[in-house]
Amino acid sequence: MSEYKLISQKKPAFPVTKKLGNYLKRHNRTIKIPIFYDDLLRFQGSVAVYDKHDNDTLWIRVFYNEFERAEIDLYLKKVYNILHSNGSDASIKHLNVDAIDFCTFGNSKPFRIKIRNILNDNYTYFYVKKTDASRIYGLELEDILSPYNLNFLVYEDTLIEEHISGIPGDVFINDYLDDCLDIEKAQLAKEFVKFNERCMIRLLGDMRSYNYVVVPTHDFENVVYKIRPIDFDQQCYEGKFKVYYPQFFKENLKLVQLVGDKLTSESIEQYQIEERSIVAKRILGSRSRLNRLLSAMKSDNISTPKNIEQLKSEIFEFTGDINFRDSDGMGEVLDSALTFVRRNYEDVSMKTIIQQQQRLH
């Protein structure tokens, strides 16, 4: 269960290629924005941000000189309207920028913007980051293959990304998990199995507990939990196949133990099959868009030759599918993985149909 040496070095950011840029334009992911990531770096001072337990969150609240702050606030409110509305300036007078926070931890070094509606005190967040092709591929794959939609924009070297609401995984594990009812723990175990399978299938790595959120939803008398990734930097980069399994990170050990305590091996296999089938249906339902994205990824360079060789070798050893061994680049490795899932789903579905027809006759 250890993460020791699973991730050996920091992942570099990769530029957006012309082909990926054309894909983003086609799917309305690009629009001119009035402020860039580098503009936000001109802050004059900062203070540390602490959580309710007085622990350092690794975020700092940044401050700008008076003249620049007025301009930055206006532009950030415009970006909010572009991201969440029709881009009109009509509602800007009702918006306030409550905070601009900066995180120096991790790869993306994001700015987190807190926007409040002064009419009702409702607030939301969005993030301003440097563009990274890996992250963009990850965001798009999440939008296509997961149960959730994602809203983001790319303009030149700046990425605007909506906030994904939920309880950070590490906070949930430390502060909430032990107080869950047995039925809730069993449901969490099921969801972790599905989340684990989903990340592995689409090769989303580094799902340590602070890189996903747990989302509770009240359903009649019960609380239903879902798990959503919030960090997509490690899309198709690392060479170790285990990196793409959340179960192998020590931060997730409590959830792994929960699976062992609450689920039988038959149940685990059932949930894995369910998740593979759901992903396969999404692949079939979004084939044209997914093929365009994979085409851009196949012509892109988003990893190192060493990582590519290691990953395709390890997945070939795991599956026995020669398409992995013959893959050239991370785009082809991912294409082979999605084809493998889709083909198995179609083979089983066809076999089931034939068996049903035989029983009818």
Side-chain angles (χ1 to χ4, degrees), residues 189 254-264:
K254 276 195 171 184
L255 290 178
V256 175
Q257 292 172 334
L258 200 65
V259 171
D261 292 340
K262 298 297 180 181
L263 302 180
T264 64

Side-chain angles (χ1 to χ4, degrees), residues 184-197:
E184 294 171 345
K185 290 181 178 179
Q187 198 270 329
L188 272 164
K190 169 187 173 181
E191 179 60 23
F192 186 74
V193 170
K194 286 175 167 282
F195 176 65
N196 192 70
E197 194 72 10

Side-chain angles (χ1 to χ4, degrees), residues 160-172:
I160 307 296
E161 191 178 319
E162 73 174 348
H163 174 67
I164 299 174
S165 299
I167 304 169
D170 53 343
V171 175
F172 184 88

Side-chain angles (χ1 to χ4, degrees), residues 23 26-27 29 139-149 277-295 335 338 342 345-346:
Y23 170 91
R26 177 169 185 157
H27 293 280
R29 295 297 197 186
L139 289 164
E140 271 294 302
L141 287 165
E142 178 72 5
D143 192 59
I144 296 171
L145 298 179
S146 84
Y148 315 104
N149 297 118
S277 299
I278 291 170
V279 172
K281 290 175 183 176
R282 293 194 183 101
I283 293 170
L284 291 169
S286 305
R287 186 172 292 184
S288 296
R289 179 181 169 193
L290 184 59
N291 284 343
R292 284 191 289 269
L293 182 67
L294 289 172
S295 177
D335 190 17
L338 299 181
R342 175 185 56 79
Y345 169 77
E346 290 177 325

Side-chain angles (χ1 to χ4, degrees), residues 112 220 300:
R112 180 178 62 196
F220 295 105
D300 210 341

Side-chain angles (χ1 to χ4, degrees), residues 59-113:
W59 289 84
I60 57 174
R61 186 145 299 162
V62 299
F63 305 99
Y64 302 84
N65 67 50
E66 186 176 349
F67 172 75
E68 282 199 307
R69 180 62 193 245
E71 185 178 53
I72 286 171
D73 279 11
L74 175 62
Y75 290 157
L76 289 175
K77 287 185 279 189
K78 286 177 178 285
V79 169
Y80 171 86
N81 277 343
I82 293 171
L83 185 67
H84 289 289
S85 187
N86 60 6
S88 167
D89 290 346
S91 63
I92 279 183
K93 61 181 179 291
H94 304 309
L95 302 176
N96 188 69
V97 179
D98 275 12
I100 302 174
D101 298 333
F102 179 59
C103 183
T104 57
F105 176 73
N107 287 327
S108 58
K109 292 184 171 56
F111 284 93
R112 180 178 62 196
I113 316 301

Side-chain angles (χ1 to χ4, degrees), residues 124-241:
T124 189
Y125 298 92
F126 68 87
Y127 298 87
V128 181
K129 304 176 180 180
K130 276 281 193 181
T131 53
D132 175 15
S134 297
R135 186 174 192 90
I136 292 170
Y137 287 123
L139 289 164
E140 271 294 302
L141 287 165
E142 178 72 5
D143 192 59
I144 296 171
L145 298 179
S146 84
Y148 315 104
N149 297 118
L150 275 179
N151 192 14
F152 69 92
L153 298 170
V154 179
Y155 184 64
E156 296 186 3
D157 64 348
T158 299
L159 170 66
I160 307 296
E161 191 178 319
E162 73 174 348
H163 174 67
I164 299 174
S165 299
I167 304 169
D170 53 343
V171 175
F172 184 88
I173 290 169
N174 292 330
D175 297 347
Y176 296 92
L177 181 58
D178 290 341
D179 294 329
C180 288
L181 302 174
D182 282 345
I183 190 172
E184 294 171 345
K185 290 181 178 179
Q187 198 270 329
L188 272 164
K190 169 187 173 181
E191 179 60 23
F192 186 74
V193 170
K194 286 175 167 282
F195 176 65
N196 192 70
E197 194 72 10
R198 193 159 62 243
C199 292
M200 180 273 293
I201 290 171
R202 45 80 61 95
L203 300 181
L204 176 62
D206 194 16
M207 281 299 109
R208 284 174 275 192
S209 55
Y210 47 78
N211 286 333
Y212 60 80
V213 293
V214 179
V215 185
T217 303
H218 290 270
D219 182 33
F220 295 105
E221 297 177 353
N222 299 319
V223 178
V224 177
Y225 295 96
K226 299 294 182 181
I227 301 177
R228 295 188 60 179
I230 58 172
D231 194 310
F232 302 92
D233 289 336
Q234 287 282 353
Q235 178 65 55
C236 295
Y237 175 74
E238 288 289 341
K240 301 181 182 70
F241 193 27

